[in-house]
Amino acid sequence: MEDEVVQSLFDYSNAIAARLSALEVLTDALIGTIGKSLPPLLPVLQENLQMLAMAREGDMHEGVLNGFRAHIEEADRKIEAVK
């Protein structure tokens, strides 16, 4: 029974990691597309990113908050690099 639970948790963890990696690729592609096609939108994207992140933080468990903030900062750096 324990082996099945551990395997299920491992499989679930892998599924989450795959989804997060795919979302990061999608986000990077969107940032790059906006940067190439509509560069004036990049500052607006940064503003909305910060605004929405702050709003989401209120609902977040303390244990994930630092990681969340680090990922938001990374996205902001990517936007800045494309500008």
Side-chain angles (χ1 to χ4, degrees):
M1 176 77 172
E2 272 185 40
D3 289 342
E4 292 173 6
V5 171
V6 170
Q7 185 62 46
S8 293
L9 288 171
F10 180 74
D11 292 343
Y12 184 66
S13 175
N14 284 338
I16 291 172
R19 182 174 177 94
L20 291 175
S21 293
L23 287 171
E24 185 174 6
V25 169
L26 175 62
T27 301
D28 292 350
L30 290 171
I31 290 169
T33 300
I34 291 169
K36 287 181 180 178
S37 304
L38 299 165
L41 290 181
L42 289 171
V44 178
L45 178 60
Q46 278 180 308
E47 180 182 322
N48 285 331
L49 175 69
Q50 295 303 325
M51 178 186 61
L52 293 169
M54 286 175 51
R56 178 64 59 100
E57 284 182 4
D59 299 329
M60 217 165 264
H61 183 272
E62 191 68 32
V64 298
L65 200 51
N66 287 337
F68 174 77
R69 288 177 178 156
H71 288 291
I72 294 298
E73 288 172 14
E74 181 180 349
D76 189 61
R77 282 191 299 275
K78 289 176 181 178
I79 296 167
E80 194 62 36
V82 174
K83 279 168 66 176

